[in-house]
Amino acid sequence: MPVMTPLLLATAFIFQLISPCLSVQTGSAGCGKALPEGLSPGGPSQNFTIESQSQTGGVIRRYLAHLPEQFDTTNTKSASLILAFHGQTQPARSMERITGLSTHFFNQDAIVVYPEGLDYQSPGQQWLGDPEAPPSSVIDDRVFANELLDELTSSLCIDESRIYVAGLSNGGGLTGLLACSPILNRRVAAFAGTAAAFYTDTSLTEPLFGAGCTPELSGGRKVPFMELHGLNDSVIAYDGDNAPAPNTIALPNWVGSWVEKNGCAKTRPETEILDGGNVTKCSWSCDGWEDVVVHYKINHFGHGWPSTAGQGEPFETLRLGPTTWNATSVILEWFSKWRLAVE
Ligand SMILES: *[C@@H]1O[C@H](CO)[C@@H](O)[C@H](O)[C@H]1NC(C)=O
Ligand SMILES: *[C@@H]1O[C@H](CO)[C@@H](O)[C@H](O)[C@H]1NC(C)=O
Ligand SMILES: *[C@@H]1O[C@H](CO)[C@@H](O)[C@H](O)[C@H]1NC(C)=O
Ligand SMILES: *[C@@H]1O[C@H](CO)[C@@H](O)[C@H](O)[C@H]1NC(C)=O
C-alpha cells in the first residue's frame, strides 16, 4: 500500500487517484519561454498590462508581478502562483506592501501577482461585488481573473495544481466570487479572504454572493475557503449590519454556506483559542479532508490585514493597530496543504 500523505490524499479525493510513480512534474505552457521583460527572480516587481474583455468592447487591465528569489532563471521549473486582490481604492502596489507577499521573510518560492481594479468611477480602483462598482454586464472581474491566469500560465512556468487566490476587503469579496465560479474554482486550489466584503443580494443590483453563488460542487469536489475577520470591523461589520449601509452577509452565514456547499455540514467544527484568547479559529474537516473551511474571528481587530508591522495608509487606523501575528503566514501555511490535480 502506498503511504498516503495528506497532500496526495487531498489530490486523490478531489479528482482522481494519481500515483506518484506515474505522474510527471508538469508545468504550464509558459515553461521554457524567455522571462517577460524586467522580471527576474527576487528582483523588483514590474507593472504589466493585458488587453481584456472584462469590459464590453475591451479594456486595458493592469497588474504588478513578482518572481520569488528561488524562481528558476531559465523559466523551466514550475512554481506556485498567488493572485492577491487589493481593497477598494487601493493601488496594487499597496497590496504588495500590506501583505509582504513579495518579501524574503514570507515568500521565497511562489510567484505573486497583484491585479489592479479598474478606476472606472468614484471612489477609485474597485472590484465587482461592491455596490459602488458597475454590474457584471459592464465590468466582470471574473473574466479578467481568468484571462490573467491564461496570460500568466502561458508566459511563466507555473505549477497549475498550485494556484491560489487571496484578497482584502472588496478584493476579499472578489475572492469569494471567484470561488463561486465553476470556471475559476477548477483552476484555483484554495481561496482566502481577509476582512472580506460579501454583499447581500438586496444590497446589489444583481445576486452575486447569495443566489448567484453556484460553484457546482458535485461528486465530492471541494473548494477550500478561509476567511479572517475582526470583530471590531467598522467597515464590513462582522454581523453584516453595516453603518453606513448597505449590508453584507454576516460572516457566520457566509462561512456556513461554504461548509454546506463543501458537504461538511454534518461535522462539528474544531475550535482553537489562539493569541492569548484574542483569536478563535474554527475549522471544518470532512470526507478525509482537513481544514476545508477555516474561519478566524479576531477580538479587538478592525478592518484590514492582520500583521505585526505598521501599514501606514487608511488601513492602519481602520484595523485598530497591528496584531501579534501575521495573516500572511497563516494563509500561506494553509495554502500549502492544497493542490489540484490538473486534468
Ligand atoms: C508601477 O506603476 C505604479 C503606478 O503607476 C508606479 O507608481 C510604480 O512606480 C510602477 N512600478 C514600477 C516597478 O515600474
Ligand atoms: C470592540 O467592540 C467592543 C464591542 O462593541 C467594544 O466594547 C470595544 O470597545 C471595541 N474595541 C475597540 C478597540 O474598538
Ligand atoms: C489582545 O488584543 C489586545 C488589543 O489589541 C491587546 O492589548 C492584548 O495584548 C492582546 N492579548 C494578547 C494576549 O495578545
Ligand atoms: C511578522 O512579520 C514580520 C515581517 O513583516 C516579522 O518581522 C515578524 O517576525 C513576524 N511575526 C511573527 C509573529 O511571525
Side-chain angles (χ1 to χ4, degrees), residues 27 36 66 75-76 81 90-91 93 97 114 137 159 175 183 253 263 271 281 284-285 297 314 333 342:
H66 166 79
N75 199 20
T76 52
L81 167 70
Q90 267 191 295
R93 64 186 183 282
R97 212 155 43 223
Y114 307 87
S137 55
D159 177 349
T175 298
I183 297 169
N253 294 347
T271 309
K281 175 188 175 189
W284 285 260
S285 303
K297 296 159 73 161
E333 194 188 333
V342 177

Side-chain angles (χ1 to χ4, degrees), residues 44-48 62-64 91 93 116:
S45 303
Q46 295 295 331
N47 294 313
F48 292 93
R62 294 164 46 88
Y63 63 97
L64 187 65
R93 64 186 183 282
E116 195 157 271

Side-chain angles (χ1 to χ4, degrees), residues 105-106 308-309 324-326 329:
F105 181 82
F106 288 115
T308 62
T324 59
W325 54 284
N326 294 308
S329 304

Side-chain angles (χ1 to χ4, degrees), residues 84-99 114-119 123-127 167-172 194 303-305 311-316 318:
F85 291 95
H86 63 71
Q88 194 182 43
T89 73
Q90 267 191 295
R93 64 186 183 282
S94 127
M95 188 64 178
E96 179 176 51
R97 212 155 43 223
I98 281 177
T99 60
Y114 307 87
E116 195 157 271
L118 280 176
D119 188 356
Q125 301 94 334
Q126 57 187 344
W127 305 109
L168 170 61
S169 192
N170 178 206
T194 301
H303 187 66
W305 188 274
Q311 292 179 343
E313 309 183 48
F315 272 115
E316 191 58 18
L318 289 175

Side-chain angles (χ1 to χ4, degrees), residues 275-278 299-300 320 322 324:
D275 192 32
N278 274 344
N299 277 338
H300 309 295
L320 309 175
T324 59

